[in-house]
Amino acid sequence: WKKLYLAHHWPVTVCKMSANDCQDPPEYWTIHGLWPDKTEECNRTWHFNVTEIKDLMSDMRRYWPDVLHSSLNRTQFWKHEWEKHGTCAATLQVLNSQKKYFGKALELYQHIDLNSCLLKAGIKPSSSYYQMTAIKEALTRFYGVMPKIQCLPPEEGEKAQTIGQIEFCFTKELQLRNCTALKGESDPLQAHLKLGTEELSVCSDTLPTYYPSQVQ
């Protein structure tokens, strides 16, 4: 693989996509995962072991919660992320254990600090719409790179898309880079946030964009 995606998702939108036991989703961007492009489930014998990340637990619960299932004892989401993506990311020395993989993802999340950057740019959850170009401009200004932004397309009768996921791309040296494919790179796996029938796709630049503050 060539690059890593650090995916942040907006819990309110995730809950909107899926009618299950979402309770009081956090009102800040949380981690969805740290994904190498192109590879999945690289080592099926390397099982998730929650005791390896016990030192990270309070940060994991806060910044990488299982938004869809509110019980704090659930580790299913992390297990899934480790087995599907972590075992592939582990070819890098800085990510070659469960503790390093989850710890480094938390570190990158803190470093990017998406929540405060959006606030500083005056972009906050609201009932009025944003222009996608304004959101992109703010992010590019802060980070110097273009992230990949995913939305829930408008439902029937709606005119606006709903922002759901923002992915930052990193090189193997863990330096920020643009998410667009470079020459000679294939474009990686599409959004894997598919819940029920609804799924996220790359946001349209022309549709008004809703950044919801609570689950409708």
Side-chain angles (χ1 to χ4, degrees):
W1 50 270
K2 295 269 190 351
K3 60 178 180 281
L4 280 167
Y5 285 85
L6 177 68
H8 299 65
H9 55 194
W10 182 242
V12 177
T13 302
V14 176
C15 289
K16 182 180 167 175
M17 289 171 70
S18 178
N20 51 14
D21 58 346
C22 253
Q23 280 152 10
D24 304 323
E27 296 220 358
Y28 50 89
W29 289 83
T30 60
I31 301 173
H32 182 178
L34 183 64
W35 308 327
D37 60 352
K38 295 209 283 282
T39 47
E40 293 187 1
E41 288 191 15
C42 295
N43 181 349
R44 294 183 180 206
T45 58
W46 195 350
H47 297 299
F48 178 68
N49 175 0
V50 76
T51 55
E52 288 191 36
I53 58 167
K54 60 177 189 301
D55 307 353
L56 303 173
M57 233 21 172
S58 64
D59 281 353
M60 290 292 292
R61 289 196 172 128
R62 185 159 174 205
Y63 303 121
W64 200 330
D66 183 343
V67 173
L68 294 179
H69 308 95
S70 40
S71 139
L72 277 180
N73 308 332
R74 284 181 59 96
T75 56
Q76 274 321 96
F77 182 37
W78 304 331
K79 174 179 188 290
H80 166 80
E81 290 296 319
W82 166 254
E83 288 170 0
K84 187 171 177 183
H85 305 290
T87 57
C88 302
T91 53
L92 286 190
Q93 209 176 346
V94 289
L95 300 173
N96 67 4
S97 71
Q98 292 175 44
K99 180 150 192 197
K100 285 186 188 173
Y101 171 74
F102 289 104
K104 185 54 79 176
L106 287 164
E107 218 175 283
L108 293 172
Y109 169 86
Q110 304 280 18
H111 171 69
I112 281 184
D113 200 7
L114 177 60
N115 291 293
S116 72
C117 285
L118 286 171
L119 277 175
K120 280 184 195 134
I123 296 167
K124 43 186 185 285
S126 139
S127 52
S128 48
Y129 299 128
Y130 289 95
Q131 294 301 322
M132 181 48 61
T133 45
I135 295 176
K136 283 184 170 170
E137 216 165 273
L139 292 170
T140 319
R141 198 168 64 238
F142 269 111
Y143 298 107
V145 294
M146 178 48 96
K148 179 177 174 188
I149 308 177
Q150 310 241 41
C151 289
L152 203 51
E155 286 171 25
E156 253 176 75
E158 281 184 3
K159 63 176 199 289
Q161 59 191 351
T162 305
I163 195 165
Q165 188 151 288
I166 297 179
E167 299 168 25
F168 287 88
C169 292
F170 290 87
T171 64
K172 287 188 161 181
E173 293 71 48
L174 302 186
Q175 298 299 312
L176 272 173
R177 54 157 285 182
N178 285 320
C179 283
T180 42
L182 299 171
K183 256 201 336 275
E185 278 183 2
S186 62
D187 223 17
L189 44 174
Q190 271 311 301
H192 12 240
L193 193 56
K194 183 169 167 52
L195 300 165
T197 52
E198 307 198 54
E199 70 185 295
L200 293 172
S201 53
V202 173
C203 304
S204 150
D205 278 349
T206 52
L207 288 174
T209 305
Y210 185 42
Y211 179 12
S213 58
Q214 67 266 315
V215 184
Q216 297 296 307

